[in-house]
Amino acid sequence: MTAPVQSIVVVGAGTMGSGIALTAAQAGIHAVQCDFSQTQLEKARSYHQKQLSRLLEKQKITAQDAEAIRTRIEYATDYAHASGAAFVIEAASENPDLKKKLFKSFADTFPSGTVFASNTSSISITDIASAVGPCADHVIGMHFFNPVPVMRLVEVIRGLATSEQTLSRTLDLARAMGKTPVPANDRAGFVSNRVLMPMINEAFFAWMEGVARPEDIDQIMVLGCNLPMGPLRLADFIGLDVCHDIMMVLSRELGDPKYFPCPLLRQLVTAGRLGDKTMRGVFEYTPRG
Ligand code: NAD
């Protein structure tokens, strides 16, 4: 068991990054929430405030707790000043080139003991690690689920060079954040998305082919298969762009046309209907809060 992590950097302040920073702060860890977009940082701040107000209203935390959690989160457009952090968790957009560029910059910025974890849903950890040269043993996958404060699993993915020490520090951090880490090997989509995303993609095909209306597809899967939420609504919450990108990675890496994204999913993404984050995906939504 290594010393408890005091401070982390979370790169990306979107759906996942904002949830990871909040969960860390709730667990007593100082979190530097980074994004190159000031607008995204402001959205993350407002999400954090709303979540804390809700917990306060429900009397799950006290006003002092809420204030302490709030002060543990720092918002920044870069991470150069945070090089004392034990972990960097990257939750930027699902794009291999972007992630490799970010990891190269982490290796140039942070001291050699820092763990670099990616929240990627599907990109190979070994591939991301190829960008950091000799620090590849410090690179690992830390796949949180949405919404992060609620979902208990962290799928932990070891790349080819990931060391035992990096693995054990990551398992410790996940547990310290109140999560259950489960290991998976470094294959496209790991376990969760290898199984889940083709089901979501198939729901789009069923809708496109007129097998049933979207709400009926979801109801059939909820009532008949005992899912907590239908696959199309889940796609809206994950983000249709994220679902599309994951299918593209599965398709490219596993080389089977069955993984190619459904044309209707592609069309919705092109139209900017990305799910609840844009207020419209398969279904329509009111603003988050
Ligand atoms: P998102 O689009 O909500 O957020 C991505 C954020 O990354 C944006 O705020 C964007 O401004 C930021 N970003 C892009 N380039 C950056 C850079 N160079 N430096 C700093 N910030 C940058 O995406 P998301 O849904 O939060 O997904 C983030 C990651 O988490 C992806 O790898 C995704 O596959 C993974 N993931 C998503 C889900 C989900 O349900 N949405 C679940 C598990 C994992």
Side-chain angles (χ1 to χ4, degrees):
M1 182 93 175
T2 44
V5 169
Q6 310 274 335
S7 150
I8 64 172
V9 174
V10 181
V11 178
T15 312
M16 297 305 290
S18 58
I20 295 167
L22 178 62
T23 305
Q26 286 178 290
I29 299 166
H30 179 84
V32 181
Q33 172 94 78
C34 287
D35 203 294
F36 68 170
S37 154
Q38 192 63 46
T39 312
Q40 286 296 95
L41 287 174
E42 286 313 319
K43 272 195 194 168
R45 190 197 299 273
S46 129
Y47 163 73
H48 295 153
Q49 272 161 2
K50 281 180 187 148
Q51 289 299 106
L52 292 173
S53 303
R54 271 193 190 156
L55 291 173
L56 196 53
E57 263 166 41
K58 291 184 184 163
Q59 300 188 328
K60 295 208 165 154
I61 55 172
T62 64
Q64 288 90 327
D65 294 336
E67 189 48 30
I69 294 166
R70 211 172 283 134
T71 55
R72 265 182 227 122
I73 309 177
E74 187 189 327
Y75 301 87
T77 47
D78 82 275
Y79 38 77
H81 67 289
S83 60
F87 263 79
V88 180
I89 303 180
E90 171 276 316
S93 318
E94 186 76 347
N95 174 319
D97 293 336
L98 166 68
K99 290 195 192 283
K100 281 158 96 168
K101 219 167 110 192
L102 280 170
F103 274 69
K104 166 86 177 68
S105 147
F106 300 160
D108 292 341
T109 307
F110 293 90
S112 62
T114 319
V115 173
F116 305 136
S118 177
N119 184 51
T120 178
S121 310
S122 60
I123 300 168
S124 159
I125 299 303
T126 307
D127 187 25
I128 294 174
S130 70
V132 306
C135 330
D137 58 329
H138 289 173
V139 176
I140 195 159
M142 209 175 175
H143 185 202
F144 289 85
F145 290 74
N146 184 19
V148 180
V150 175
M151 300 295 282
R152 287 174 301 157
L153 177 66
V154 176
E155 200 176 17
V156 175
I157 300 102
R158 203 170 163 174
L160 199 62
T162 309
S163 68
E164 279 298 332
Q165 202 200 14
T166 298
L167 176 66
S168 93
R169 289 174 67 192
T170 305
L171 297 175
D172 287 346
L173 175 63
R175 290 189 193 107
M177 289 173 73
K179 304 299 177 195
T180 303
V182 180
N185 283 327
D186 190 18
R187 294 285 179 279
F190 319 126
V191 172
S192 51
N193 284 316
R194 175 82 175 258
V195 176
L196 175 67
M197 284 299 156
M199 182 186 74
I200 287 179
N201 200 43
E202 203 56 36
F204 279 94
F205 274 111
W207 176 23
M208 187 179 77
E209 290 168 14
V211 179
R213 298 178 306 160
E215 52 273 38
D216 294 336
I217 292 171
D218 272 7
Q219 204 180 14
I220 286 165
M221 296 305 288
V222 168
L223 299 181
C225 303
N226 223 7
L227 298 183
M229 181 187 293
L232 294 172
R233 191 162 297 277
L234 179 58
D236 273 354
F237 290 154
I238 293 171
L240 300 195
D241 51 340
V242 177
C243 295
H244 175 271
D245 291 348
I246 295 170
M247 289 307 293
M248 288 304 289
V249 172
L250 292 178
S251 163
R252 196 173 53 242
E253 294 298 319
L254 301 172
D256 188 324
K258 76 178 178 186
Y259 295 113
F260 198 73
C262 170
L264 180 54
L265 171 60
R266 289 169 70 78
Q267 199 176 26
L268 291 170
V269 172
T270 306
R273 284 173 58 174
L274 306 183
D276 73 326
K277 65 184 165 188
T278 57
M279 256 85 90
R280 195 167 183 212
V282 178
F283 303 105
E284 292 193 23
Y285 300 87
T286 46
R288 257 183 210 194

